[in-house]
Amino acid sequence: MPMTDDIKKILESRHNFPHAVLGPHAVEDQAGKFIIRLFLPYAKTVKLQLKQPSKRVVKMNKTAPEGLFEARVSARDGKTINYLYQVVDTQGHVFELHDAYRFKPDSLAPEQETLFKNGRYDRLFDLCGAHPQTRLNTPGVNFCVWAPAAQRVSVVGSFNHWDGRCHAMARISTLGFWQLFVPELKTGEYYKFEIKSTAGAVFLKTDPYALQIEDGPQAAGIVATLDTEGGSDGRRVQRDNQAPWIFPLTGSSGQTSAQELAIADAELTVLKERGITHLEISGLYPQNSGIASYFAVHPALANPGRLQDFIDRCHRHGLKVLVDGIFS
Protein backbone atom coordinates (compact mmCIF):
# COMPACT_ATOMS: atom_id res chain seq x y z
CA MET A 1 0.00 0.00 0.00
CA PRO A 2 1.45 3.41 -0.95
CA MET A 3 2.33 5.70 1.96
CA THR A 4 0.02 8.64 1.29
CA ASP A 5 0.03 11.76 3.44
CA ASP A 6 -3.30 10.72 4.98
CA ILE A 7 -1.95 7.28 5.89
CA LYS A 8 1.18 8.84 7.40
CA LYS A 9 -0.95 11.15 9.56
CA ILE A 10 -2.96 8.16 10.82
CA LEU A 11 0.19 6.22 11.72
CA GLU A 12 1.64 9.28 13.49
CA SER A 13 -1.67 9.87 15.29
CA ARG A 14 -2.15 13.42 14.04
CA HIS A 15 -5.01 13.15 11.52
CA ASN A 16 -7.86 15.61 12.18
CA PHE A 17 -10.40 13.68 10.07
CA PRO A 18 -9.62 9.93 10.38
CA HIS A 19 -12.89 8.94 8.68
CA ALA A 20 -11.17 9.90 5.42
CA VAL A 21 -8.90 6.86 5.83
CA LEU A 22 -10.46 4.45 8.33
CA GLY A 23 -13.69 2.50 8.02
CA PRO A 24 -15.32 1.48 4.70
CA HIS A 25 -14.43 3.30 1.47
CA ALA A 26 -15.57 2.62 -2.10
CA VAL A 27 -12.74 1.58 -4.40
CA GLU A 28 -12.44 4.05 -7.27
CA ASP A 29 -13.47 2.66 -10.69
CA GLN A 30 -14.52 -0.68 -9.15
CA ALA A 31 -18.29 -0.77 -8.67
CA GLY A 32 -19.40 -2.63 -5.57
CA LYS A 33 -15.86 -2.95 -4.20
CA PHE A 34 -14.89 -1.54 -0.81
CA ILE A 35 -11.73 -1.30 1.23
CA ILE A 36 -12.06 -1.31 5.03
CA ARG A 37 -9.22 -0.02 7.18
CA LEU A 38 -8.59 -0.26 10.92
CA PHE A 39 -5.83 1.34 12.97
CA LEU A 40 -5.31 -0.61 16.19
CA PRO A 41 -1.71 -0.46 17.50
CA TYR A 42 -2.16 -3.18 20.14
CA ALA A 43 -3.67 -5.72 17.70
CA LYS A 44 -1.69 -8.75 16.54
CA THR A 45 -4.20 -10.13 14.06
CA VAL A 46 -7.63 -8.94 12.91
CA LYS A 47 -10.43 -10.67 11.04
CA LEU A 48 -13.42 -8.97 9.48
CA GLN A 49 -16.70 -10.61 10.45
CA LEU A 50 -19.19 -9.50 7.82
CA LYS A 51 -22.88 -9.38 8.72
CA GLN A 52 -24.06 -7.71 5.50
CA PRO A 53 -24.25 -8.16 2.56
CA SER A 54 -23.19 -11.77 3.28
CA LYS A 55 -22.10 -13.53 6.45
CA ARG A 56 -18.46 -14.52 6.18
CA VAL A 57 -15.08 -13.92 7.80
CA VAL A 58 -12.24 -12.18 5.96
CA LYS A 59 -8.68 -11.99 7.25
CA MET A 60 -7.36 -8.43 7.29
CA ASN A 61 -3.86 -7.70 6.06
CA LYS A 62 -1.48 -5.78 8.28
CA THR A 63 -0.19 -3.09 5.95
CA ALA A 64 1.95 -1.13 8.42
CA PRO A 65 3.85 -2.33 11.52
CA GLU A 66 2.32 0.51 13.54
CA GLY A 67 -1.01 -1.34 13.45
CA LEU A 68 -2.84 -0.52 10.22
CA PHE A 69 -5.04 -3.32 8.83
CA GLU A 70 -7.15 -3.49 5.69
CA ALA A 71 -9.40 -5.84 3.75
CA ARG A 72 -11.27 -5.64 0.45
CA VAL A 73 -14.89 -6.75 0.21
CA SER A 74 -17.81 -6.60 -2.23
CA ALA A 75 -21.24 -5.12 -1.61
CA ARG A 76 -23.27 -5.00 -4.79
CA ASP A 77 -26.82 -3.80 -5.46
CA GLY A 78 -26.48 -0.87 -3.07
CA LYS A 79 -26.36 -3.08 0.00
CA THR A 80 -24.81 -1.59 3.12
CA ILE A 81 -21.76 -3.07 4.79
CA ASN A 82 -22.18 -4.16 8.39
CA TYR A 83 -19.35 -5.87 10.20
CA LEU A 84 -17.35 -6.48 13.37
CA TYR A 85 -13.66 -6.88 13.95
CA GLN A 86 -12.38 -10.09 15.56
CA VAL A 87 -9.17 -9.02 17.28
CA VAL A 88 -6.30 -10.93 18.86
CA ASP A 89 -4.10 -8.45 20.72
CA THR A 90 -0.40 -8.67 21.50
CA GLN A 91 -1.19 -10.27 24.88
CA GLY A 92 -3.22 -13.05 23.25
CA HIS A 93 -6.61 -11.71 24.33
CA VAL A 94 -9.47 -12.27 21.87
CA PHE A 95 -12.37 -9.82 21.58
CA GLU A 96 -14.85 -8.28 19.16
CA LEU A 97 -14.71 -4.61 18.23
CA HIS A 98 -17.30 -2.40 16.55
CA ASP A 99 -15.93 0.12 14.06
CA ALA A 100 -16.50 3.75 15.08
CA TYR A 101 -15.53 4.85 11.57
CA ARG A 102 -18.48 3.05 9.98
CA PHE A 103 -20.57 5.98 11.20
CA LYS A 104 -20.29 9.26 9.31
CA PRO A 105 -19.31 12.23 11.49
CA ASP A 106 -21.70 15.10 12.09
CA SER A 107 -21.29 18.62 10.79
CA LEU A 108 -22.23 21.94 12.33
CA ALA A 109 -25.03 23.82 10.60
CA PRO A 110 -24.27 27.43 9.59
CA GLU A 111 -26.78 28.73 12.14
CA GLN A 112 -25.01 26.78 14.89
CA GLU A 113 -21.67 28.29 13.94
CA THR A 114 -23.18 31.77 13.86
CA LEU A 115 -24.71 31.34 17.31
CA PHE A 116 -21.41 30.10 18.71
CA LYS A 117 -19.33 32.89 17.16
CA ASN A 118 -21.76 35.47 18.55
CA GLY A 119 -21.70 33.90 22.01
CA ARG A 120 -25.40 33.06 21.81
CA TYR A 121 -25.30 29.23 21.63
CA ASP A 122 -27.11 28.80 24.94
CA ARG A 123 -27.65 25.02 24.59
CA LEU A 124 -24.08 24.03 23.83
CA PHE A 125 -24.48 21.15 26.30
CA ASP A 126 -26.79 19.48 23.77
CA LEU A 127 -23.89 19.38 21.31
CA CYS A 128 -20.87 18.83 23.55
CA GLY A 129 -20.27 16.08 26.08
CA ALA A 130 -21.12 12.37 25.96
CA HIS A 131 -24.63 11.53 24.72
CA PRO A 132 -25.94 7.94 24.51
CA GLN A 133 -27.87 7.48 21.25
CA THR A 134 -28.54 5.02 18.44
CA ARG A 135 -27.15 5.25 14.91
CA LEU A 136 -27.71 2.75 12.09
CA ASN A 137 -29.68 0.63 14.59
CA THR A 138 -26.57 0.45 16.78
CA PRO A 139 -26.52 1.86 20.34
CA GLY A 140 -23.48 3.81 21.48
CA VAL A 141 -22.26 7.16 22.75
CA ASN A 142 -21.68 10.32 20.74
CA PHE A 143 -18.76 12.44 22.00
CA CYS A 144 -18.16 16.07 21.11
CA VAL A 145 -15.73 18.64 22.50
CA TRP A 146 -14.47 22.10 21.58
CA ALA A 147 -10.66 22.19 21.25
CA PRO A 148 -9.77 24.87 18.68
CA ALA A 149 -5.99 24.71 19.16
CA ALA A 150 -5.67 20.92 18.99
CA GLN A 151 -3.87 19.01 16.24
CA ARG A 152 -5.67 15.79 17.21
CA VAL A 153 -8.31 14.84 19.80
CA SER A 154 -9.18 11.28 20.86
CA VAL A 155 -11.68 9.87 23.32
CA VAL A 156 -10.01 7.36 25.64
CA GLY A 157 -11.14 4.95 28.34
CA SER A 158 -10.90 1.35 29.44
CA PHE A 159 -12.65 0.40 26.17
CA ASN A 160 -9.43 1.24 24.27
CA HIS A 161 -6.81 0.81 27.04
CA TRP A 162 -6.70 4.62 27.43
CA ASP A 163 -4.73 4.65 24.18
CA GLY A 164 -5.14 7.95 22.34
CA ARG A 165 -3.99 6.43 19.07
CA CYS A 166 -7.38 4.70 18.96
CA HIS A 167 -10.73 6.46 18.55
CA ALA A 168 -9.33 9.69 17.13
CA MET A 169 -12.13 12.20 16.64
CA ALA A 170 -13.09 14.15 13.51
CA ARG A 171 -12.76 17.92 13.39
CA ILE A 172 -16.25 18.82 12.17
CA SER A 173 -15.93 22.60 12.08
CA THR A 174 -13.33 25.26 11.41
CA LEU A 175 -14.33 26.61 14.83
CA GLY A 176 -12.62 23.64 16.48
CA PHE A 177 -15.37 21.15 17.39
CA TRP A 178 -14.42 17.45 17.38
CA GLN A 179 -16.86 14.54 17.27
CA LEU A 180 -16.94 10.74 17.29
CA PHE A 181 -19.69 8.16 17.76
CA VAL A 182 -18.37 5.07 19.57
CA PRO A 183 -20.73 2.10 19.08
CA GLU A 184 -21.74 -0.26 21.87
CA LEU A 185 -20.51 1.97 24.71
CA LYS A 186 -22.93 2.18 27.63
CA THR A 187 -23.71 4.46 30.55
CA GLY A 188 -21.25 4.13 33.41
CA GLU A 189 -18.20 4.12 31.09
CA TYR A 190 -15.25 6.21 32.33
CA TYR A 191 -13.62 8.43 29.72
CA LYS A 192 -11.42 11.45 29.03
CA PHE A 193 -10.24 13.36 25.99
CA GLU A 194 -6.63 13.02 24.92
CA ILE A 195 -5.38 16.13 23.12
CA LYS A 196 -2.31 16.53 20.96
CA SER A 197 -1.35 20.19 20.59
CA THR A 198 0.03 21.72 17.42
CA ALA A 199 3.45 21.59 19.12
CA GLY A 200 3.07 17.81 19.63
CA ALA A 201 2.43 17.84 23.40
CA VAL A 202 -0.06 15.16 24.52
CA PHE A 203 -2.25 15.49 27.62
CA LEU A 204 -5.57 14.32 29.08
CA LYS A 205 -8.55 16.57 29.79
CA THR A 206 -11.78 15.89 31.64
CA ASP A 207 -14.89 16.57 29.59
CA PRO A 208 -16.14 20.03 30.70
CA TYR A 209 -19.67 18.96 29.75
CA ALA A 210 -19.63 15.62 31.56
CA LEU A 211 -22.85 14.93 33.48
CA GLN A 212 -21.04 12.77 36.03
CA ILE A 213 -17.46 12.85 37.32
CA GLU A 214 -15.29 10.19 38.93
CA ASP A 215 -14.68 10.76 42.64
CA GLY A 216 -10.95 11.27 43.14
CA PRO A 217 -8.04 13.21 41.70
CA GLN A 218 -8.29 11.57 38.25
CA ALA A 219 -11.78 13.08 37.76
CA ALA A 220 -12.63 11.12 34.63
CA GLY A 221 -15.97 11.77 33.01
CA ILE A 222 -18.64 9.08 33.35
CA VAL A 223 -21.19 8.50 30.60
CA ALA A 224 -24.59 9.31 32.10
CA THR A 225 -28.10 10.20 31.02
CA LEU A 226 -30.69 12.60 32.36
CA ASP A 227 -34.45 12.24 32.56
CA THR A 228 -35.60 15.03 30.22
CA GLU A 229 -39.32 14.32 30.57
CA GLY A 230 -39.78 16.48 33.67
CA GLY A 231 -39.73 13.83 36.37
CA SER A 232 -41.53 10.54 36.84
CA ASP A 233 -44.96 12.17 36.66
CA GLY A 234 -44.00 15.04 34.33
CA ARG A 235 -45.18 17.73 36.74
CA ARG A 236 -43.59 21.08 37.52
CA VAL A 237 -44.15 23.25 40.55
CA GLN A 238 -46.28 26.20 39.48
CA ARG A 239 -45.07 29.75 39.98
CA ASP A 240 -46.92 31.77 42.58
CA ASN A 241 -46.60 34.99 44.57
CA GLN A 242 -46.29 33.28 47.93
CA ALA A 243 -43.56 34.68 50.17
CA PRO A 244 -40.73 32.13 50.27
CA TRP A 245 -40.01 30.22 53.45
CA ILE A 246 -36.67 28.51 52.95
CA PHE A 247 -35.48 25.45 54.84
CA PRO A 248 -31.72 24.78 54.53
CA LEU A 249 -31.16 21.09 53.98
CA THR A 250 -27.67 20.95 55.48
CA GLY A 251 -25.82 19.07 58.19
CA SER A 252 -23.48 20.31 60.90
CA SER A 253 -20.87 21.15 58.27
CA GLY A 254 -23.21 23.61 56.60
CA GLN A 255 -23.10 21.49 53.44
CA THR A 256 -25.73 19.16 52.04
CA SER A 257 -24.68 15.52 52.11
CA ALA A 258 -25.91 12.42 50.34
CA GLN A 259 -27.78 11.53 53.54
CA GLU A 260 -29.80 14.75 53.42
CA LEU A 261 -30.74 14.13 49.79
CA ALA A 262 -32.22 10.80 50.89
CA ILE A 263 -34.81 12.60 53.03
CA ALA A 264 -37.95 10.50 53.39
CA ASP A 265 -41.20 11.43 51.67
CA ALA A 266 -42.91 11.60 55.08
CA GLU A 267 -40.47 14.33 56.14
CA LEU A 268 -41.13 16.28 52.96
CA THR A 269 -44.85 16.10 53.73
CA VAL A 270 -44.23 17.49 57.23
CA LEU A 271 -42.13 20.37 55.86
CA LYS A 272 -44.86 21.29 53.38
CA GLU A 273 -47.53 21.19 56.11
CA ARG A 274 -45.43 23.55 58.21
CA GLY A 275 -45.46 26.13 55.42
CA ILE A 276 -42.00 25.53 53.96
CA THR A 277 -41.92 26.58 50.29
CA HIS A 278 -38.29 25.94 49.36
CA LEU A 279 -35.51 23.52 50.30
CA GLU A 280 -32.01 24.91 49.95
CA ILE A 281 -29.14 22.58 49.16
CA SER A 282 -25.46 23.50 49.10
CA GLY A 283 -22.25 21.70 48.42
CA LEU A 284 -22.83 20.81 44.78
CA TYR A 285 -19.35 22.26 44.27
CA PRO A 286 -17.57 22.28 47.67
CA GLN A 287 -15.10 25.10 48.20
CA ASN A 288 -11.49 24.34 47.24
CA SER A 289 -12.51 20.98 45.76
CA GLY A 290 -11.86 21.93 42.13
CA ILE A 291 -14.52 21.78 39.46
CA ALA A 292 -13.96 19.42 36.55
CA SER A 293 -17.40 20.00 34.99
CA TYR A 294 -20.03 22.62 35.76
CA PHE A 295 -22.65 20.18 34.48
CA ALA A 296 -21.91 17.52 37.11
CA VAL A 297 -22.50 17.73 40.85
CA HIS A 298 -19.66 16.75 43.15
CA PRO A 299 -19.47 12.93 43.10
CA ALA A 300 -19.39 12.74 46.91
CA LEU A 301 -22.86 14.29 46.99
CA ALA A 302 -24.84 12.53 44.28
CA ASN A 303 -24.97 11.20 40.76
CA PRO A 304 -27.34 12.75 38.19
CA GLY A 305 -30.09 10.19 38.75
CA ARG A 306 -30.05 10.56 42.54
CA LEU A 307 -30.18 14.36 42.36
CA GLN A 308 -32.99 14.26 39.84
CA ASP A 309 -34.93 11.85 42.05
CA PHE A 310 -34.56 14.20 45.03
CA ILE A 311 -35.75 17.24 43.05
CA ASP A 312 -38.62 15.25 41.53
CA ARG A 313 -39.81 14.12 44.97
CA CYS A 314 -39.66 17.70 46.24
CA HIS A 315 -41.75 18.88 43.31
CA ARG A 316 -44.34 16.17 43.90
CA HIS A 317 -44.74 17.54 47.42
CA GLY A 318 -45.10 21.10 46.15
CA LEU A 319 -41.63 22.14 47.33
CA LYS A 320 -39.18 24.12 45.23
CA VAL A 321 -35.43 23.59 45.36
CA LEU A 322 -32.78 26.30 45.65
CA VAL A 323 -29.12 25.58 44.91
CA ASP A 324 -26.41 27.49 46.74
CA GLY A 325 -23.14 27.01 44.89
CA ILE A 326 -19.71 28.64 44.86
CA PHE A 327 -18.23 28.39 41.38
CA SER A 328 -14.49 28.81 41.68
Side-chain angles (χ1 to χ4, degrees):
M1 181 188 66
M3 179 66 74
T4 65
D5 187 53
D6 274 338
I7 294 292
K8 185 177 180 181
K9 287 179 179 179
I10 291 291
L11 299 182
E12 295 176 354
S13 191
R14 57 184 180 90
H15 206 298
N16 65 8
F17 200 83
H19 297 72
V21 177
L22 305 177
H25 294 272
V27 178
E28 190 174 354
D29 299 328
Q30 296 187 36
K33 299 290 185 179
F34 288 81
I35 185 168
I36 299 176
R37 295 191 189 94
L38 166 71
F39 182 53
L40 197 63
Y42 53 83
K44 183 178 180 181
T45 63
V46 182
K47 293 180 180 179
L48 192 67
Q49 180 183 331
L50 288 164
K51 294 183 175 181
Q52 288 179 315
S54 61
K55 293 184 178 180
R56 58 195 178 98
V57 176
V58 178
K59 181 180 179 181
M60 301 189 75
N61 298 316
K62 192 170 188 176
T63 58
E66 292 87 348
L68 187 66
F69 297 82
E70 69 174 46
R72 292 176 180 263
V73 297
S74 300
R76 300 187 183 279
D77 303 322
K79 292 182 179 179
T80 59
I81 299 177
N82 190 4
Y83 56 89
L84 293 173
Y85 295 121
Q86 296 177 347
V87 180
V88 179
D89 67 16
T90 54
Q91 303 298 315
H93 301 127
V94 181
F95 58 93
E96 291 184 342
L97 179 68
H98 292 259
D99 189 2
Y101 301 101
R102 189 169 69 88
F103 304 85
K104 292 183 179 180
D106 298 328
S107 59
L108 252 63
E111 56 268 24
Q112 290 177 294
E113 294 192 342
T114 299
L115 287 171
F116 182 77
K117 287 188 287 188
N118 294 335
R120 298 176 62 85
Y121 203 145
D122 56 4
R123 294 190 65 85
L124 200 56
F125 51 84
D126 286 333
L127 172 67
C128 294
H131 299 280
Q133 55 187 240
T134 298
R135 299 190 177 195
L136 300 179
N137 298 316
T138 304
V141 179
N142 189 59
F143 295 93
C144 184
V145 66
W146 183 58
Q151 178 181 190
R152 185 263 298 164
V153 179
S154 300
V155 58
V156 296
S158 58
F159 54 90
N160 61 13
H161 304 286
W162 298 89
D163 189 335
R165 297 171 297 175
C166 312
H167 292 100
M169 304 173 75
R171 185 168 179 137
I172 60 172
S173 166
T174 57
L175 298 177
F177 287 95
W178 302 74
Q179 180 263 336
L180 184 70
F181 176 76
V182 182
E184 299 299 334
L185 283 195
K186 298 178 174 60
T187 56
E189 192 76 52
Y190 286 59
Y191 72 97
K192 279 192 173 186
F193 294 119
E194 183 182 280
I195 297 176
K196 176 181 277 190
S197 72
T198 52
V202 178
F203 51 92
L204 293 173
K205 294 289 288 185
T206 298
D207 181 5
Y209 288 89
L211 297 178
Q212 189 174 352
I213 295 293
E214 174 189 14
D215 192 7
Q218 298 300 321
I222 303 174
V223 177
T225 57
L226 293 176
D227 173 14
T228 59
E229 300 301 320
S232 60
D233 60 2
R235 288 192 295 177
R236 294 292 191 203
V237 176
Q238 299 298 315
R239 292 188 178 185
D240 55 44
N241 296 319
Q242 181 182 4
W245 189 357
I246 302 170
F247 181 84
L249 197 65
T250 58
S252 57
S253 65
Q255 302 284 306
T256 304
S257 69
Q259 184 177 355
E260 273 89 40
L261 290 186
I263 183 172
D265 282 356
E267 295 179 75
L268 293 175
T269 299
V270 171
L271 291 173
K272 181 64 177 178
E273 290 174 347
R274 291 181 177 178
I276 299 297
T277 61
H278 296 71
L279 295 186
E280 179 184 15
I281 60 176
S282 61
L284 294 188
Y285 307 100
Q287 285 182 276
N288 304 317
S289 64
I291 299 175
S293 169
Y294 286 103
F295 292 85
V297 300
H298 194 274
L301 177 62
N303 59 39
R306 191 175 302 155
L307 181 61
Q308 278 196 306
D309 176 69
F310 164 75
I311 294 173
D312 184 41
R313 291 191 299 113
C314 289
H315 286 178
R316 288 202 302 268
H317 286 81
L319 296 166
K320 301 175 184 178
V321 178
L322 298 176
V323 176
D324 178 14
I326 298 175
F327 304 93
S328 60

